[in-house]
Amino acid sequence: KRRFFMTVNDKIHFKVITHERVVFDDYVDEIYSKGIDGDFGVLYNHIPFMTALDIGVTKIVKDGDDDYIATIGGTFQINDNVAVILTDEAQLGSDIDIVRAKNAQERALMRLNQSKPDTDIVRAEIALAKAMARLKAGSKYH
């Protein structure tokens, strides 16, 4: 039976899962992410919702604290206060190596700025988007 009022203990059970591991599994108050059709947020008792994710950052609010996860595409679904992101790649912001992400961003920018005919532009743009998502998620902790 659904309740349509909030109490202190009302939380969303949120999981971020890749093929290799569970990146996040906890109860949270709010979730904000980037779908392919734009940014969205969900709170407790959100209606069932599913969307494809873009490369970006998922923000989680728990007990007034913010946490960030770089999510590299995938799908988001919420139903009955259980939310799940299934993705090929995800990384907690606190685990991101900022120097490595900056180096990846520089390499991608270098490939994009070269006017070589054999440059795979789409691949370079994806690499840049991934690096930028990691930098954004990781910069909140460094």
Side-chain angles (χ1 to χ4, degrees):
K1 192 172 185 180
R2 274 190 187 248
R3 297 175 300 178
F4 292 99
F5 57 91
M6 285 201 58
T7 67
V8 178
N9 297 322
D10 291 334
K11 304 277 187 184
I12 301 166
H13 187 188
F14 181 49
K15 295 180 184 182
V16 178
I17 304 169
T18 69
H19 298 291
E20 298 171 354
R21 66 191 178 100
V22 175
V23 176
F24 185 89
D25 184 357
D26 203 352
Y27 290 84
V28 301
D29 300 304
E30 305 169 34
I31 305 165
Y32 301 93
S33 198
K34 182 178 181 183
I36 59 170
D37 294 323
D39 295 345
F40 65 90
V42 297
L43 302 172
Y44 185 78
N45 275 340
H46 197 285
I47 63 168
F49 170 70
M50 182 178 212
T51 190
L53 293 178
D54 202 349
I55 296 170
V57 175
T58 298
K59 175 183 172 184
I60 305 153
V61 180
K62 178 182 174 186
D63 301 326
D65 292 326
D66 298 346
D67 283 314
Y68 301 87
I69 302 171
T71 45
I72 312 301
T75 59
F76 174 91
Q77 177 179 349
I78 185 166
N79 190 19
D80 291 331
N81 295 307
V82 177
V84 178
I85 288 178
L86 298 174
T87 181
D88 289 334
E89 294 179 54
Q91 192 170 11
L92 294 172
S94 57
D95 293 343
I96 292 173
D97 181 337
I98 295 293
V99 172
R100 184 174 175 198
K102 282 183 183 177
N103 289 339
Q105 179 185 32
E106 289 171 10
R107 284 191 308 275
L109 285 170
M110 209 165 54
R111 282 196 308 264
L112 287 170
N113 290 328
Q114 294 173 346
S115 296
K116 293 183 180 180
D118 63 335
T119 300
D120 187 340
I121 300 297
V122 172
R123 184 173 170 205
E125 288 173 341
I126 291 170
L128 179 61
K130 288 179 178 182
M132 291 174 62
R134 286 186 175 104
L135 284 170
K136 186 175 179 183
S139 68
K140 309 294 183 183
Y141 300 92
H142 298 86

